[in-house]
Amino acid sequence: MTLAIAPSETTPEPTPEPSPAPLSDLVARDAREFGAYARTGGWAFGLMVARSVRPGGQGADETPKVSAKEFAELAGCSADRVMRYYKAWDRAADDGIVPQFEALAPGQEVELPDADVWLSYYVSRNSATSERGTAIAEAAEAEGIRPTKALEVAENPTALRAAILADPSTARAARQALLDRVREDPELQSELARDVVRTDDLKKAVATESRAADRIGYVRQIAESGQIKTPAGQTVDAPADLRQEAERHLSLLDELEEDEDTGEWATEAYDTMKTLVVEAVEADPELRVQERRTKFYSSLQRATKVFEELTFDDAQDFYEDDMVQQLEELQQAIGACITALRGAHGNHSPE
């Protein structure tokens, strides 16, 4: 029997790992500067300005610092940009967050605040120093956003318009902001009102919404006051079931989402309540009589007022036969009305 001899197993020699390339001093410097800026943000640049630009009132012979204009020329940027960093540092120094200018010397290092704090002091636009910019910045802070964002939007109305036209959520935010603003701005109220009445679609929409609001107001008045106004104009206490029905409709209206169309719901509630009011009047004999009496008096007063407004001083200039005929017919109708009323009075006279 022949035995097979297995070949001997050999372990490969490990491949040596390549040694890392020497670290570039330039890369290391960039990394250090990046890390410093990541921790401090604009404070790093603010410090450069604060320790190198002399404060106002300090002469060139009193300090090695230079003016903001000279510093900007050396930096290759505008003096306005340098001053924005200067003013940010000044505001922070007033709050005790960083040292005052006079306490800093060129090249001096100090511990800097966190990067996020910088945004509370630095405004990257000149408009922020104006009265308008200050108002925008204060409003932004009240809304809990960075002033720089609000100022950027304010300085680019075309971009704002594009966002409103393209994005429904932006349009809704703009609408709400306008509503908040218009309450305190009579001039804007007038301008918006003119825009509405000059735009047919808007005018129709406003009329529709106004009608819906009036109808909801009618239902709400019944539900909250417990009183109804009859067709003749009387104000009386609403029956309990009628008031409950008004409350039911009102709760349905109040539960509608803001973006839901209330017109159809308002019309249904209004028509229902109008019908119930008429039925309530007809169901109460005393109220029904009073309602007819009120309607009669109202019609009589309107007719009397119209007749009193007729003048005959220059009747000869416009006289026509049919005018006399109409007045004679009116006289006959009035006579018949008087006879009927007297007859009714006689029937009600005590024996």
Side-chain angles (χ1 to χ4, degrees), residues 126-257:
N126 286 330
S127 62
T129 60
S130 66
E131 182 177 347
R132 172 176 175 267
T134 300
I136 293 173
E138 290 176 352
E141 291 175 357
E143 294 290 337
I145 62 173
R146 289 183 297 176
T148 50
K149 288 290 185 182
L151 288 164
E152 182 179 355
V153 172
E155 289 186 359
N156 198 342
T158 303
L160 176 61
R161 171 183 166 82
I164 292 173
L165 291 174
D167 179 40
S169 62
T170 303
R172 284 192 291 271
R175 175 180 64 84
Q176 188 58 56
L178 274 176
L179 287 176
D180 292 341
R181 174 64 185 269
V182 80
R183 294 186 181 96
E184 301 177 358
D185 191 336
E187 185 176 349
L188 181 59
Q189 289 177 15
S190 300
E191 291 174 358
L192 285 177
R194 285 195 294 269
D195 289 339
V196 168
V197 298
R198 293 171 182 172
T199 307
D200 288 341
D201 290 342
L202 283 177
K203 187 163 59 175
K204 292 176 182 177
V206 169
T208 299
E209 291 298 323
S210 179
R211 183 164 56 253
D214 289 343
R215 289 175 172 178
I216 294 173
Y218 176 80
V219 178
R220 187 180 301 279
Q221 189 274 334
I222 295 174
E224 294 180 353
S225 72
Q227 292 185 318
I228 58 174
K229 193 170 185 178
T230 68
Q234 299 184 85
T235 299
V236 298
D237 291 335
D241 57 342
L242 191 152
R243 183 175 185 180
Q244 289 174 359
E245 184 67 8
E247 291 172 348
R248 186 181 72 82
H249 279 285
L250 186 61
S251 66
L252 291 173
L253 290 166
D254 288 341
E255 289 173 6
L256 294 176
E257 298 293 335

Side-chain angles (χ1 to χ4, degrees), residues 59-78:
D61 56 344
E62 301 177 48
T63 175
K65 296 181 180 182
V66 297
S67 67
K69 181 179 179 181
E70 291 176 281
F71 188 88
E73 290 173 352
L74 293 170
C77 66
S78 69

Side-chain angles (χ1 to χ4, degrees), residues 37 40-53 65 71 81-90 92 98-99 101 104 108 110 112-113 118 122:
Y37 185 78
T40 62
W43 292 115
F45 297 115
L47 175 61
M48 295 176 191
V49 172
R51 69 191 181 189
S52 299
V53 174
K65 296 181 180 182
F71 188 88
R81 183 173 179 81
V82 171
M83 286 305 299
R84 288 198 289 274
Y85 281 87
Y86 182 97
K87 290 175 181 177
W89 188 277
D90 190 32
V98 294
F101 296 104
L104 296 172
Q108 182 177 347
V110 298
L112 297 173
W118 172 254
Y122 178 74

